[in-house]
């Protein structure tokens, strides 16, 4: 299991379009991936799950992956978040 925290800096947070990019990226990996905000954890490959967290700009989230490519999955998603979802 590989876990890392990242702060979502873009103004709209993880809503609609950025969430779609996030889910598409998560689905590139074989590992099970979750997003955690405070005490809630959802499947990072589920659009409804990610949207249900209500992640706004300035929110710190935890990205958790478990599987063969867990480290690459977490690092790839953090890179996407840090890019402001421009990749």
């Amino acid at each position: 299991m590989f876990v890392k925290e990242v702060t979502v800096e873009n103004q709209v947070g993880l809503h609609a379009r950025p969430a779609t990019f996030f889910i598409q990226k998560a689905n590139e990996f074989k590992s099970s991936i979750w997003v955690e905000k405070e005490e809630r954890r959802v499947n990072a490959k589920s659009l409804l799950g990610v949207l249900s967290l209500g992640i706004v700009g300035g929110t710190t989230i935890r990205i958790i992956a478990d599987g063969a490519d867990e480290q690459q999955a977490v690092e790839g998603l953090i890179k996407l978040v840090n890019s402001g979802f421009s990749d």
Side-chain angles (χ1 to χ4, degrees):
M1 187 171 288
F2 191 76
V3 182
K4 234 174 175 182
E5 286 192 354
V6 64
T7 301
V8 178
E9 298 291 350
N10 67 317
Q11 290 183 328
V12 296
L14 218 50
H15 292 282
R17 194 162 179 220
T20 301
F21 292 145
F22 188 87
I23 279 107
Q24 287 172 342
K25 187 71 171 173
N27 277 301
E28 292 175 12
F29 301 100
K30 290 185 170 88
S31 295
S32 296
I33 309 169
W34 301 274
V35 180
E36 200 171 74
K37 175 188 162 197
E38 295 158 0
E39 297 302 313
R40 288 199 54 218
R41 182 185 288 190
V42 299
N43 183 344
K45 297 178 182 183
S46 162
L47 183 59
L48 282 177
V50 172
L51 290 175
S52 75
L53 290 177
I55 299 164
V56 296
T59 302
T60 299
I61 58 172
R62 221 170 346 298
I63 301 173
I64 304 152
D66 191 21
D69 54 0
E70 60 191 28
Q71 187 166 351
Q72 297 92 324
V74 172
E75 298 293 349
L77 289 167
I78 285 179
K79 184 177 176 191
L80 178 65
V81 170
N82 286 336
S83 76
F85 301 93
S86 60
D87 281 350

